[in-house]
Amino acid sequence: MLIDWFTVGAQLLNFLVLVWLMKRFLYQPVLAAIAAREQHIAAGLADAAAHLAAAHALDAALTAKSTAFDQQRATLLAEAVTAAQVQNVALLAQGKAADAAQHARAAAAISADQARLCAAVTLQARDEVLAVVRRAMADLADASLEAAMVRAFLRKLAELDAPARARMASAAAQDPAPEVRSAFVMDANQQAALTVALAAACGVQPKALQFTYTPALVCGIALRLGGWSLAWNLDDYLQGFAARSSSALLAKA
């Protein structure tokens, strides 16, 4: 069989043209499309990986923040509970202290009222006793008792020491109207005896001396010279007893 080389050459040329055409217009675009697709897929995967990494980072950050928030909330809650307990204890202590103070004030007020009532009743009873004693001594006063009172006052005047006589003389020099008060009306002899004794003791002038009847003085005589005075009477004893009994009663109350 004879080979037609022309036909073989033409077919080979046609094949080569076909291969070139396929490579030029089919294979290259397909390869380019595949490469572009691969690049697009790679870019998508990279973007997805970036988003996934960002999501993981965001999740980690949110988890950390949530943990920190939980810890902070637990700390604040514990502090609030502790503060509430401390405040509760303080309020209870204040309430107990206020209650105790109120009870103490009430007890003190009751005790004071009882003491005042007891003292008032006791002092009233004492005053009644003293009033009875004063009335009894006033009713019992007579001439002999009055003379005895004058003698007792003269004896007390004579028993004054030197400093007392000096103070008495100084007061007499400054007082133009010395006064002798008595619970009874003195007669001329009694007034004369007192005038002589006072002139001898402190230099009181007889004309300046005044005698005053003072019923309030229970069985007694009182001399006033300016700011200086000398007295002897039963009322002084009663007043001393009243002062001592008042002090004792109030101290016990």
Side-chain angles (χ1 to χ4, degrees), residues 1-227:
M1 178 178 179
L2 294 175
I3 299 174
D4 187 358
W5 294 105
F6 178 79
T7 301
V8 173
Q11 290 181 352
L12 180 60
L13 180 62
N14 289 334
F15 178 73
L16 292 174
V17 171
L18 179 61
V19 170
W20 179 81
L21 290 174
M22 290 180 63
K23 182 178 180 182
R24 177 68 179 81
F25 296 103
L26 180 62
Y27 184 67
Q28 289 293 341
V30 170
L31 291 178
I34 293 173
R37 183 63 177 174
E38 289 179 350
Q39 291 178 358
H40 180 71
I41 292 173
L45 291 175
D47 186 61
H51 282 83
L52 182 61
H56 284 301
L58 181 61
D59 181 66
L62 291 176
T63 301
K65 289 182 179 180
S66 178
T67 302
F69 176 77
D70 290 339
Q71 293 177 352
Q72 185 179 8
R73 182 181 61 181
T75 302
L76 292 176
L77 181 60
E79 292 177 354
V81 171
T82 302
Q85 291 175 348
V86 172
Q87 186 176 9
N88 186 30
V89 171
L91 291 176
L92 287 176
Q94 291 177 0
K96 290 181 179 179
D99 186 62
Q102 181 65 26
H103 280 294
R105 286 193 296 269
I110 293 174
S111 178
D113 290 340
Q114 291 176 347
R116 283 193 294 269
L117 179 60
C118 179
V121 171
T122 307
L123 292 177
Q124 184 177 2
R126 184 213 64 188
D127 292 340
E128 292 294 335
V129 172
L130 294 179
V132 171
V133 172
R134 285 191 177 96
R135 287 196 297 270
M137 293 305 298
D139 293 339
L140 292 174
D142 56 10
S144 61
L145 182 59
E146 293 169 355
M149 286 189 289
V150 173
R151 289 194 300 270
F153 185 78
L154 291 174
R155 184 171 58 253
K156 188 171 185 178
L157 184 63
E159 292 173 352
L160 292 175
D161 56 13
R165 287 176 180 270
R167 290 193 299 271
M168 185 177 177
S170 176
Q174 298 175 4
D175 189 357
E179 180 185 19
V180 174
R181 295 180 294 131
S182 60
F184 56 93
V185 178
M186 292 186 183
D187 57 25
N189 293 329
Q190 292 170 341
Q191 292 183 4
L194 281 173
T195 301
V196 172
L198 290 173
C202 60
V204 173
Q205 297 299 322
K207 293 182 180 180
L209 190 61
Q210 299 179 2
F211 291 90
T212 304
Y213 170 54
T214 308
L217 287 175
V218 180
C219 296
I221 302 172
L223 169 66
R224 182 188 60 80
L225 294 172

